[in-house]
């Protein structure tokens, strides 16, 4: 029992260190979604947030014959730069489309980027939404994206996400264990 308890405590400490290490640095997160409804206004939602010494987060939504939403977030600090952009568009007649782009670069040159896309066609009403975020910190640069959609009474939803990571080049320094005199 003590061994299990010690193992759980060790795992909790490691998880805490990992979470705190990734929490230090710049972060940016955005999401956007839009829905079309024939005969009435659609809906549009957007969220944006950032963490860092300097940055901004902006959202904009519009409903009517064309429902649209946009979110932008940028966070910068001594660990690096994080950028996230999400946008969604849903006309009354036509497909609902949403796109997300995320990019981060840390101070060592570690780069991560991701994209997410959602397209909803057909059916009576269509929804497309995306979200994503980036982060820099001791663990390097990270970027994630999520895409989803729905239709009612028939239709097709297509989603695609991609994430890429380019680690910084590794430099190995070899030092002799002892010196000759």
């Amino acid at each position: 029992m003590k061994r299990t308890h010690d193992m759980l405590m060790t795992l909790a400490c490691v998880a805490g260190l990992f979470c705190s290490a990734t929490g230090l640095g710049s972060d940016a997160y955005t999401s956007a979604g839009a829905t079309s409804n024939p005969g009435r206004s659609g809906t549009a939602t957007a969220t944006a947030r950032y963490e860092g010494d300097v940055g901004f987060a902006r959202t904009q939504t519009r409903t009517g014959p064309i429902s649209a939403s946009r979110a932008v977030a940028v966070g910068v600090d001594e660990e690096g730069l994080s950028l996230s952009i999400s946008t969604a568009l849903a006309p009354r007649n036509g497909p609902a489309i949403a796109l997300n782009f995320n990019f981060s670069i840390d101070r060592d040159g570690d780069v991560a980027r991701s994209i997410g896309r959602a397209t909803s066609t057909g059916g009576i009403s269509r929804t497309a939404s995306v979200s994503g975020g980036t982060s820099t910190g001791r663990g390097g640069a990270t970027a994630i994206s999520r895409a989803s959609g729905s239709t009612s009474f028939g239709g097709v939803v297509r989603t695609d996400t991609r994430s890429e990571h380019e680690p910084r080049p590794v430099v190995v320094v070899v030092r002799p264990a002892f010196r000759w005199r």
Side-chain angles (χ1 to χ4, degrees):
M1 183 70 173
K2 175 136 174 70
R3 181 181 232 182
T4 303
H5 181 278
D6 291 342
M7 177 77 89
L8 290 174
M9 290 303 291
T10 303
L11 288 174
C13 290
V14 169
L17 288 173
F18 177 73
C19 290
S20 67
T22 58
L24 299 174
S26 64
D27 297 324
Y29 170 83
T30 59
S31 67
T35 301
S36 65
N37 291 317
R40 55 189 166 146
S41 289
T43 61
T45 60
T47 60
R49 72 173 174 79
Y50 79 92
E51 290 182 24
D53 295 338
V54 179
F56 68 90
R58 302 279 188 269
T59 61
Q60 182 180 10
T61 61
R62 179 181 68 218
T63 59
I66 299 175
S67 297
S69 62
R70 176 177 52 192
V72 178
V74 176
V76 181
D77 69 4
E78 63 276 357
E79 293 295 326
L81 170 108
S82 296
L83 165 71
S84 182
I85 302 169
S86 295
T87 186
L89 180 70
R92 280 191 188 150
N93 300 313
I97 300 168
L99 301 167
N100 174 263
F101 174 74
N102 304 287
F103 176 81
S104 65
I105 183 167
D106 74 1
R107 67 180 176 180
D108 295 330
D110 200 18
V111 175
R113 61 187 160 268
S114 66
I115 59 168
R117 295 180 286 220
T119 306
S120 300
T121 58
I124 293 177
S125 66
R126 294 158 298 283
T127 300
S129 61
V130 290
S131 64
T134 62
S135 178
T136 61
R138 290 186 190 153
T142 60
I144 59 169
S145 286
R146 179 180 105 19
S148 63
S150 65
T151 64
S152 60
F153 300 104
V156 176
V157 175
R158 289 187 174 86
T159 63
D160 177 35
T161 60
R162 185 176 9 164
S163 181
E164 297 174 349
H165 180 250
E166 295 176 15
R168 63 185 168 262
V170 177
V171 177
V172 178
V173 178
V174 178
R175 295 185 181 148
F178 59 92
R179 291 187 173 174
W180 293 95
R181 293 189 184 215

